[in-house]
Amino acid sequence: MPDTQEVSKAVASLYNTYPFPPEPLLDEPPPGYNWRWNWLAAYNFCTGRKPQKQNIRILDAGCGTGVGTEYLVHLNPQATVVGIDLSEGALNVAKERCQRSGANRAEFHHLSLFDVDKIPGEFDLINCVGVLHHTSEPIRGIQALANKLTPGGLMHIFVYADNGRFEVRLMQEAIALLQNEKRGDYRDGVSVGRKIFDSLPENNRIVKREKERWALENQRDENFADMYVHPQEIDYNIETLFELIDASGLDFVGFSNPTYWNLERLLGKAPELIQRAEKLSERERFRLIELLDPDNISHYEFFLSRPPLEKADWADENAILAAIPELNPCIDGFPASSIFNFDYQLIRLSETEIEFMQACNGVSTVKEILNKVQLDLEKVKELQKQQLIIFS
């Protein structure tokens, strides 16, 4: 096993050299949204209902230059947000970023995941994006975070997937071989990597994959370094991913990119195979999907929870009629006949659906609105299923 302190030192050195992510600093709130960082939208995704409180504590574990931290503050106006990171250089950028955009409810600590217990109290939402796979002991890291999650709280995690990063690993090893004794000199590593790409034939597999998937973001040296010269990386498949999840002691709520995990999109033309797959366990079905579609999975993003996490059951129509609906805060373009939903997918609405959604003020019940708007209850269910509206 790699020495934890040496790995942490090397990772901190990389991000002191190339603070990441390298998004520009703005003198205003960042544009758009990531629904996974919005407590209302994320909680609704995980439970099917609005959370009972919004004055929550959020931890951004491995916050880097504060891109996620800034969103967490602006998207959750009643929350207090704490960011931790190994890199002082990245933290300095994060502090400036949040100060400039008015995200003044963020506080920062120079800490590793392993030392998160030094922060008092628990958190309702923990965000850990692109971090665990860069530690020497991911299980120890996820367990440290799990110990800080409040009962009923959510943890959002992003780690690399093995299948979709095959060419990345080849390039990482090639750069390391050519660097030889200069490994750990990250600027040299970026220079070597750039020269390799400039030299390889256009039909080379690694070049083709870079152009298909990564080239736009990798124009910036910070992104290139994070991908190709990182000193520590662990990639997962479904089996090893759930070993990590099981070790956390938390419950798996679900992947936050569920469209990828729909077997119908791959085997829909063979209903007999879909029937066979129904006999598999959930994890076996996940494994089947990533085996059949390896190129389109470069990472896993998912939610975990500490029990008890109460999930709503809207099977009873009387419960729906008594529910109080409001708009999902992460939709774009409303009111219009074509809007983007929480996951930036295009949704088309009828005039009556628009009228119903305009009446979703967080005060009136579904029944009260339907007394004024002539919309079928099944259509209301569909709006809720599409997460355009949130029930409480």
Side-chain angles (χ1 to χ4, degrees), residues 1 16 65 111 199 272 315:
M1 179 180 292
N16 285 333
T65 60
L111 288 173
S199 180
E272 70 277 11

Side-chain angles (χ1 to χ4, degrees), residues 67-126:
V67 171
T69 321
E70 182 182 38
Y71 274 100
L72 286 165
V73 173
H74 286 294
L75 294 177
N76 301 283
Q78 296 184 40
T80 57
V81 181
V82 177
I84 64 171
D85 203 86
L86 272 177
S87 166
E88 282 191 279
L91 280 174
N92 288 336
V93 177
K95 292 173 184 176
E96 181 182 356
R97 179 187 307 281
C98 289
Q99 186 272 326
R100 285 180 55 172
S101 76
N104 51 18
R105 281 174 288 109
E107 64 175 78
F108 295 96
H109 299 273
H110 184 211
L111 288 173
S112 77
L113 299 188
F114 306 132
D115 296 323
V116 68
D117 61 335
K118 293 181 179 179
I119 299 175
E122 296 179 327
F123 295 89
D124 303 281
L125 175 63
I126 296 178

Side-chain angles (χ1 to χ4, degrees), residues 4 13 68 81 105 109 127 134 144 146 181 202 248 255 325 363 365:
T4 297
S13 177
V81 181
R105 281 174 288 109
H109 299 273
N127 181 63
H134 290 320
E181 73 280 356
E202 285 190 13
S248 74
F255 290 110
V363 177
T365 66

Side-chain angles (χ1 to χ4, degrees), residues 233-244:
E233 180 177 316
I234 297 174
D235 299 333
Y236 291 89
N237 58 42
I238 281 295
E239 294 172 1
T240 56
L241 178 73
F242 276 94
E243 288 175 5
L244 176 73

